[in-house]
Amino acid sequence: MLILSVESATSAASVALIKDDGLLGEYTLNYKKQHSVLLMSLIDNLLKDNALTIKDVDAFVVSKGPGSFTGLRIGMATVKGLCMGSNKPLISVSSLDGLAFNELNFSGIICPIMDALRENVYTCFYKNVGGKLEKLIDHSHFSISELAEKLTEMNEPVIFVGDGVEKYRTYLEEHMQNIYFAANSNSFAKASSLGEIGLQLLNAGFSDDLNAVTPIYLRKSQAEREYDKKMELSNGI
């Protein structure tokens, strides 16, 4: 089974090729270029460097968020197009699940944090149960202070992973105890981690409905929030 995985929920664009017996290759680029420019080029180069074509791929895995609204739409549209063109299955995986998978061997609570701006994060809490991730809460959108309070109440060791680590590390160190932080290399959303989860799901018989699958946003986009604000003002609310 050959899986092509695409992660586009953050500023980093990442693609990976994974087989049942391991990772064939992965390209990750954290540079200020739009995913619409990067993704197909990364996919083409990865396939060529492994002497493969899109016809050799058995299934596609894509991040469904939460994360960058634009990045998620570009990634989802790209992979949906590849699935339609090749008539191959699609598996969508949460970007938070992928980040947590980077720290699967941690014995306490694994807490991915993705910066949602204005002192907020996208997050979820996980534990390693039998070598697989088990969610302790649903995917959520918290202020950093709410996050610290909830985890403190759980009274367990916590490891933080994700692009929110750099931004909120000082706050978390000042307001929490018994906490750890992932290495910089593990705080990227990796297509390989996403693909491993997707491969597990595929081998268990799961795939998404291509026409029904949509990104997880957790909150409205800035444009939607600004529109709502204008409507409130115009209605005298």
Side-chain angles (χ1 to χ4, degrees):
M1 185 74 69
L2 178 64
I3 299 289
L4 174 63
S5 178
V6 173
E7 170 59 83
S8 63
T10 68
S11 61
S14 182
V15 300
L17 283 170
I18 297 172
K19 298 187 74 174
D20 289 295
D21 57 357
L23 176 67
L24 292 182
E26 180 175 30
Y27 291 159
T28 300
L29 189 58
N30 187 29
Y31 186 68
K32 296 178 181 180
K33 284 187 178 180
Q34 293 183 349
H35 292 319
S36 58
V37 176
L38 291 173
L39 280 181
M40 283 309 302
S41 176
L42 290 176
I43 291 169
D44 287 342
N45 289 336
L46 184 58
L47 287 168
K48 288 176 182 177
D49 288 346
N50 283 276
L52 297 167
T53 70
I54 208 72
K55 293 180 180 179
D56 297 308
V57 177
D58 296 304
F60 296 86
V61 177
V62 67
S63 170
K64 62 181 176 182
S68 160
F69 289 76
T70 302
L72 288 171
R73 287 193 288 265
I74 292 170
M76 189 73 74
T78 299
V79 174
K80 279 188 174 184
L82 293 172
C83 289
M84 289 177 181
S86 60
N87 196 30
K88 300 291 176 63
L90 167 70
I91 302 93
S92 63
V93 177
S94 163
S95 48
L96 292 170
D97 292 1
L99 280 168
F101 194 86
N102 291 352
E103 296 293 337
L104 180 63
N105 292 325
F106 186 73
S107 59
I109 295 173
I110 306 165
C111 181
I113 49 175
M114 300 176 68
D115 185 23
L117 304 178
R118 299 182 180 182
E119 305 299 307
N120 290 276
V121 293
Y122 300 124
T123 189
C124 190
F125 306 160
Y126 303 82
K127 294 200 79 171
N128 180 342
V129 178
K132 293 186 179 181
L133 292 172
E134 181 176 291
K135 290 185 180 71
L136 304 181
I137 65 169
D138 289 334
H139 297 141
S140 302
H141 174 233
F142 295 140
S143 70
I144 193 64
S145 60
E146 289 175 320
L147 176 72
E149 289 173 5
K150 290 178 182 296
L151 288 169
T152 298
E153 290 172 357
M154 298 177 79
N155 196 30
E156 290 192 54
V158 180
I159 189 165
F160 293 98
V161 57
D163 64 7
V165 166
E166 181 180 0
K167 184 171 183 178
Y168 298 111
R169 181 173 188 141
T170 300
Y171 180 93
L172 293 168
E173 287 175 333
E174 290 175 350
H175 291 82
M176 294 184 65
Q177 296 180 343
N178 203 12
I179 60 174
Y180 304 85
F181 298 94
N184 289 338
S185 58
N186 269 0
S187 278
F188 282 110
K190 297 180 180 181
S192 54
S193 293
L194 206 72
E196 285 201 56
I197 297 172
L199 185 57
Q200 291 174 1
L201 292 170
L202 188 66
N203 286 334
F206 174 83
S207 64
D208 281 287
D209 180 341
L210 192 61
N211 296 314
V213 64
T214 56
I216 300 170
Y217 291 128
L218 294 185
R219 66 180 178 88
K220 293 181 178 181
S221 69
Q222 182 176 350
E224 289 173 316
R225 294 196 303 273
E226 289 178 353
Y227 175 78
D228 289 344
K229 187 175 181 179
K230 288 179 180 178
M231 292 301 295
E232 288 176 2
L233 291 173
S234 66
N235 292 326
I237 298 175

